[in-house]
Amino acid sequence: QEESSALEFVPKPPVSCFIGHTRVQLKACVDASPVLSGSFYYIGCQGGILARVHADTLRLASYTDDCGSNQCSVICQDHRVYAFAHEDVGAHVACFDESIQICHWQCRLPTGIKTTPLWLDGFLFAQSGKYVWKIGAQTGKLVQEWGLPAFVEARPVRLKNELLYLSCESEFGKMISLRNDNSCCDVVQIQDIFLGPVYKDPLLLTNETLVVTDSWGCVHFLSLHRGPGETVAVSSCPLSAAVEMRREVVVGSLDGTVYGLSYEHSILWKVEVDSSVYSQPAVYGDYLVVVTTAGYIVVCDGDSVAQRHRITGEIWSDPVSCIPSSVCFGARDSCLHQLVLCVS
């Protein structure tokens, strides 16, 4: 639904230059985000393909197609690589060693997984629709299953003693609290807030405020103490997941704009980035790196564009900024890209 409403913009010329652009050809389109573990990127592709790429040279080290038959997402934890493929019927979960050449275990779930599961205390928490499954990370055995009172798509927020889920049903308007000790699954009413459908992962701020973006173009500031919240309408289009930068909350929109909001719930600035923003922006020092569905990579310095670059493929992958002076992301040209930024 969000993908179909993405806008098309007239291409604009590059601004300044990036120092270097490296890419590696993979086996299929890459909508998932790369995961950096040690000196390697792990990236899932369409068709259930999992690739391992040298982070310094972006050279393909190894790959496996033993991850189901559809888009694959990845978690790296305790020297193991977990791959999750959303199938037409059900979901395929597999656990590999770091070389991704040895498969320790595989299992299937009854419904597809569109959201990367959460690793917590030796268990994988996978969700789909109205269900959450707890899987042993070492064994692949299903430990527990919960039925939820509403559909969920976004990853939960991990707190000390609970996992908080937000629904993609606009009429629900509540948080679902799942206790880590498996004791209960509670429903918590959100005070004075009417949430639109939530598909993007919430952002937990250090002041115990939860920032939630919805498909109606609103940013919600929710108190973890279950007190009243605040809503800021920033766009008429769906928003990306929020990111924190210099004590500001930054979100992108399918309307082709990136917005900066204060902790006091006001819009501080906005900048046009040439085309629709589906992916969560990445923070690199004092700069913001934004990728768009038209293949633009835009570096923003506050409310101005410092650099602009374009590739031939659409970008639906979240950019990752972890190697010094560079940003890495997947694209629908079946490549994993790495750009070295020329910012001071």
Side-chain angles (χ1 to χ4, degrees):
Q1 180 181 0
E2 292 184 3
E3 181 176 334
S4 63
S5 60
L7 305 178
E8 293 186 1
F9 287 73
V10 177
K12 295 185 178 181
V15 175
S16 183
C17 294
F18 288 81
I19 294 175
H21 175 198
T22 308
R23 64 184 177 184
V24 57
Q25 184 74 37
L26 300 177
K27 304 294 182 178
C29 294
V30 184
D31 284 347
S33 301
V35 175
L36 180 67
S37 180
S39 58
F40 293 94
Y41 285 118
Y42 293 88
I43 184 74
C45 310
Q46 295 283 358
I49 296 171
L50 173 63
R52 176 174 173 253
V53 177
H54 292 276
D56 53 351
T57 63
L58 222 65
R59 179 173 57 86
L60 182 64
S62 57
Y63 79 94
T64 178
D65 56 5
D66 194 20
C67 301
S69 60
N70 214 321
Q71 179 68 43
C72 176
S73 61
V74 180
I75 292 177
C76 296
Q77 185 73 40
D78 293 345
H79 306 289
R80 290 195 172 193
V81 180
Y82 301 93
F84 310 89
H86 174 76
E87 304 288 302
D88 294 332
V89 178
H92 183 273
V93 184
C95 173
F96 297 91
D97 70 339
E98 290 181 302
S99 72
I100 64 172
Q101 298 303 291
I102 299 175
C103 183
H104 294 297
W105 55 259
Q106 299 184 55
C107 71
R108 294 192 64 84
L109 296 175
T111 59
I113 299 176
K114 296 182 179 180
T115 306
T116 304
L118 180 73
W119 190 96
L120 178 61
D121 298 333
F123 296 95
L124 301 168
F125 287 80
Q127 66 192 66
S128 178
K130 288 188 174 183
Y131 294 94
V132 175
W133 296 278
K134 182 179 181 181
I135 304 168
Q138 294 295 320
T139 64
K141 302 295 185 183
L142 181 62
V143 177
Q144 193 163 353
E145 175 184 307
W146 292 271
L148 304 181
F151 286 93
V152 294
E153 286 285 352
R155 296 183 83 192
V157 179
R158 176 182 173 180
L159 303 179
K160 183 177 180 180
N161 296 313
E162 62 182 331
L163 299 176
L164 284 179
Y165 292 86
L166 289 124
S167 172
C168 57
E169 297 179 31
S170 59
E171 66 273 15
F172 189 68
K174 303 175 180 68
M175 289 186 287
I176 303 167
S177 171
L178 190 65
R179 294 287 177 177
N180 290 354
D181 60 5
N182 308 331
S183 60
C184 61
C185 177
D186 297 328
V187 176
V188 182
Q189 179 69 48
I190 301 173
Q191 297 188 30
D192 304 324
I193 293 290
F194 189 71
L195 290 176
V198 178
Y199 291 96
K200 300 297 185 179
D201 298 346
L203 169 68
L204 181 60
L205 300 180
T206 53
N207 63 354
E208 296 190 322
T209 297
L210 194 62
V211 180
V212 181
T213 59
D214 67 24
S215 293
W216 293 347
C218 294
V219 180
H220 307 277
F221 295 82
L222 308 180
S223 170
L224 290 182
H225 300 295
R226 314 297 199 251
E230 295 287 342
T231 295
V232 182
V234 301
S235 172
S236 60
C237 296
L239 301 178
S240 73
V243 65
E244 186 178 13
M245 178 182 179
R246 295 182 301 197
R247 295 191 59 78
E248 296 175 2
V249 173
V250 180
V251 298
S253 172
L254 289 188
D255 68 5
T257 307
V258 176
Y259 300 87
L261 294 85
S262 70
Y263 283 4
E264 288 71 40
H265 323 132
S266 62
I267 299 176
L268 299 175
W269 54 267
K270 60 182 180 180
V271 59
E272 299 290 337
V273 292
D274 308 332
S275 52
S276 299
V277 180
Y278 176 87
S279 308
Q280 181 183 39
V283 175
Y284 177 75
D286 290 331
Y287 294 88
L288 189 73
V289 181
V290 181
V291 298
T292 79
T293 59
Y296 283 107
I297 304 93
V298 182
V299 179
C300 299
D301 182 4
D303 59 355
S304 63
V305 174
Q307 299 178 54
R308 185 188 296 114
H309 186 75
R310 195 182 189 196
I311 64 171
T312 57
E314 299 177 5
I315 307 173
W316 299 83
S317 162
D318 291 344
V320 175
S321 178
C322 17
I323 301 297
S325 302
S326 70
V327 61
C328 188
F329 53 89
R332 289 191 175 177
D333 59 0
S334 300
C335 290
L336 180 67
H337 296 261
Q338 186 164 276
L339 287 171
V340 180
L341 310 178
C342 55
V343 295
S344 58

